[in-house]
Amino acid sequence: MIFEPIHMSANDGDEGDLGVALKTRAKTKRPPLYKVLLLNDDYTPMEFVVHILERIFGMTHAEAFEIMLTVHKKGLAVVGVFSHEIAETKVTQVMDLARRHQHPLQCTMEKE
């Protein structure tokens, strides 16, 4: 909670007496963030994963290649952290593009 002083004048006959009242204001919380994860599979071509990372996540070719290798070697990688709505949209875009190209690539999101 944040306390803000409110200056008040006394109107009840105490001419020189000024009081300070405190008004509470709830601190605004930031919305939770979500990690978007790409999962490895044995069928989706590495070039397609790089293409997804460049097109949907706006990565450079070098960044996309590095993340793709992480997914390939470790089984998954965080490809970005976003608000719920943006993370959900990115997951949907990845899954739709993968399906259209008949690749089993999986993309999920989880609360950070």
Side-chain angles (χ1 to χ4, degrees):
M1 294 287 209
I2 297 174
F3 295 98
E4 294 180 347
I6 301 173
H7 297 288
M8 303 173 65
S9 63
N11 292 330
D12 58 5
D14 295 333
E15 292 299 323
D17 192 18
L18 293 178
V20 176
L22 296 176
K23 171 175 86 171
T24 59
R25 180 181 64 171
K27 189 173 182 178
T28 306
K29 287 169 88 175
R30 288 211 154 132
L33 295 176
Y34 291 80
K35 298 184 284 190
V36 175
L37 304 153
L38 268 185
L39 308 175
N40 189 43
D41 64 73
D42 293 331
Y43 304 100
T44 304
M46 292 179 177
E47 297 81 21
F48 183 76
V49 175
V50 170
H51 173 72
I52 289 273
L53 293 169
E54 290 171 344
R55 181 171 171 189
I56 296 175
F57 295 94
M59 295 182 186
T60 65
H61 185 75
E63 291 169 332
F65 192 82
E66 189 174 321
I67 295 287
M68 176 275 298
L69 285 178
T70 301
V71 172
H72 181 70
K73 291 176 183 174
K74 295 190 176 182
L76 64 89
V78 174
V79 295
V81 179
F82 308 96
S83 68
H84 184 271
E85 293 77 16
I86 293 173
E88 198 171 52
T89 299
K90 300 247 183 225
V91 168
T92 301
Q93 289 173 330
V94 169
M95 298 300 290
D96 288 349
L97 196 55
R99 254 185 255 115
R100 270 189 270 143
H101 287 86
Q102 299 178 343
H103 296 305
L105 183 65
Q106 294 293 304
C107 185
T108 62
M109 61 188 261
E110 64 181 42
K111 202 170 193 177
E112 187 176 47

